[in-house]
Amino acid sequence: MMSSSFSVFRVGIYFVMMCSFYKSAVDSLLQLSPQKYFSTLQPGKASLAYFCQADSPGTSIFLEELNEAVKPLQDCGISVAKVNCVKEETSRYCGKENDLMKAYLFRGNILIREFPTDTLFDVDAIIAHVLFALLFNEVKYITTPEDLQNIENALKGKTNIVFSYVRAIGTPEHRAVMEAAFVYGTTYQFVLTTETALLESVGIEDIEHAHLYFFHCKPVLDLTHQCRKTLMEHPLTTLTIHRFIKTMEAPLLTEVAEDPQQVSTVHLQLGLPLVFIVSQQATYEADRRTAEWVAWRLLGKAGVLLLLRDSLEVDNLQHANVIFKRAEEGVPVEFLVLHDIDLIISHVENNMHIEDMREDEDGDMEGPDLDIQDDEVAETVYRDRKRQLPLELIVELTEETFNVTVMASDSIVLFYAGWQAVSMAFLQSYIDLAIKLKGWKEITILDRIGTLGTSTVLLTRVNCADWSDLCVKQNVTEFPVLKMYKKGKNPVSYAGMLGTEDLLKFIQLNRISCPVNITSVQEAEEYLSGELYKELISYSSVSVLGLFSPTMTTAKEDFTEAGNYLKGSVITGIYSEEDVLILSNKYAATLPALLFARHKEGKIESIPLANSHVQDIVGIITDALLEIFPEITVENLPIYLKLQKPLLILFSDGSINSQYEKAILTLVKEKHLDSLTPCWLNLKNTPVGRGILQAYFDTLPPLPLLVVVNLPSGGQVFAFPSDQSVTAQTLLLWLKKLEAGLESPITILPAQGWKPHLPAYNFLSMMDAAASRHPTGKGPGCMKETGMQESDKEQEEDKSTRKEPIETLRIKHWNRSNWFTEAEKSSRRDDKEL
């Protein structure tokens, strides 16, 4: 059934944690020299050791947390020791400071695992991580509903499941679950997740708190039937989980024939009440079915017994059909007449006594909303800690090999920190990229004429935790950072999303000049048709061609600088030959001009560039890349929020409705929606849309549904009337009513900023940097390709491309349109009346 590779009393684990910061000693920690410590290690003995340099300055915060973990870990058979290193010590665990930042897990003297010590941020995290590592085979970590269903199917008729959801690894709830698994792991199959989708799959909508379920799979003999599920309705602590599991072990229904005042079960010992369903011989079968139904409804909340009154002489029994007994000693039982099961349940839930543990539990749970490791990044990295990454696919660079490598070949370098969760998540995407690309370490690039060439680019990495000086020289001040190095040119930094597809797009689009120098009309036509770089069309569906006369020197320089700045996000080209008027006349473009070739639509548009500088050109190209009726996703939402317009959103539970699409595109073509951002959201592709709709409506409305959300000014939300059909005419009429202030909003969003808990977790800022790379100051920071510069010049290049954080979703200042002014005044009047 379950792995027995770990048993508390039979298998010893040595957990060695390294430190280079702390000098002070904690009296309760066993203190040894490295030689003495290693000489005491024996198979079957567990030990948690913390290595410190004897002369290392710093704080004792971690030692204080470790000291608090000594007793709980000893109770689990794991001793704790502090090992004092000396300068002469040759042990690898007393080596460089970078090594001392790692934590090591041993069995005997064999190294099992290592991870950074900053994941052990307090006593709960220490105990949770240690037990999670020890019980890795006993506690299955899953990520999808399919994983849970597979485990459930495999265990039907065999054993029961304890399924728990915690918001983050290392929290008090995670510790409580692991301590329960430590005790009951050989009896039940424990399953753990931090994925909200799994919680929703079992019917829980509250994802803000930890939850625990008991799956009754052992009694299920028919594999087509589902396991019954019982939810623990109290906060997750070691005590509440223990009490809950004990109630699951107790008989579902017990028959008794004695005075209820004298009856005692495990439920009373656990502080839970008893409910007696009074029965008699004539109605025994029906009463037993009722009692079983009540028992399932109250499982984990109270004990249920079937009381046979025929042989009893107890006052009040002739008139009562339910008896309620509290857990407190000396409190008389209640004789009740309740003819409905729901009344029985309500009475118990309203009156049952729960030991006064909530205050203690709330005290244990105090903190910044339990976001110890922030959203899902650190959790994802931790749960994949046993995944063996094929690091051999990525060339590791050191201070000695870096310059030689990047000067010898075109190279992509990932600068990361092995102790940082975001870095490790990005490293996984980076390795997935290496696996996806043919040749793994090397990727094919495009040569000048657009055919596949034989040049290659090397995928490499630098762990800044080991080579901090090298990273400083390369102006790496945050992690992770990806840079492309080309011989004789300045490195280009990646500022996009941390996914494999975005990385691939950046690499492929960086293989051509920025912009491409087109030398003939025929080549320009091939460029505009997509034939010249057809291998790249899947990465950039729009190609931009700048048209200039040979004498327009300043305009060409500005466009070239803008093209350099946009390299990696769009294909740009420039044509300035003597016969440029051929293209100008054909596409009705007044020089200087931009031609936009939209390959999906097969269209070519022209935009004049008169008196446009670098910033203007970048803005024009960036805006032109936006779709006129895009599907909104988590990744592209910041792009459209930057337009600072109200959103006209079509919510759809699947593919887009053709009637709605036709109506919206008609209004777009007729320029009626210029003051709005029309878009649609597919709830199947972007499930967070359901949460958005639930924030707008009390219940999830029928789909498809059109909604206007005025984020820039006022926060009003308007819904298209459900009793009207959607046509271009009805939609336009409704929008005019909104503009005139004749419609009332269904809700008004609160004026609050949604900020990350820490600056390092400002992932929207990262998305914004990829989506909107408008220059500041005199122009973009893309250097002229004159050769590799010194690190100080590279630093200047990086600073120029650094972006300000994204605006909050609640944009308070909007000057481009007063489209909703009257509606806002109307809503204010309504507020005053209320």
Side-chain angles (χ1 to χ4, degrees), residues 35 98 245 263 277 472 503 760:
Q35 182 178 4
N98 289 330
I245 292 179
V263 174
I277 305 298
V472 170
L503 281 172

Side-chain angles (χ1 to χ4, degrees), residues 627-648:
E627 300 179 46
I628 59 174
F629 186 40
E631 177 184 353
I632 290 296
T633 64
V634 174
E635 291 79 12
N636 69 12
L637 176 61
I639 302 174
Y640 295 95
L641 288 179
K642 290 287 288 184
L643 299 178
Q644 300 186 17
K645 298 179 182 180
L647 300 175
L648 173 62

Side-chain angles (χ1 to χ4, degrees), residues 555-575:
K556 287 191 292 183
E557 290 178 351
D558 287 344
F559 177 75
T560 299
E561 190 171 355
N564 274 276
Y565 183 72
L566 293 169
K567 187 168 70 170
S569 59
V570 64
I571 302 174
T572 59
I574 184 172
Y575 189 72

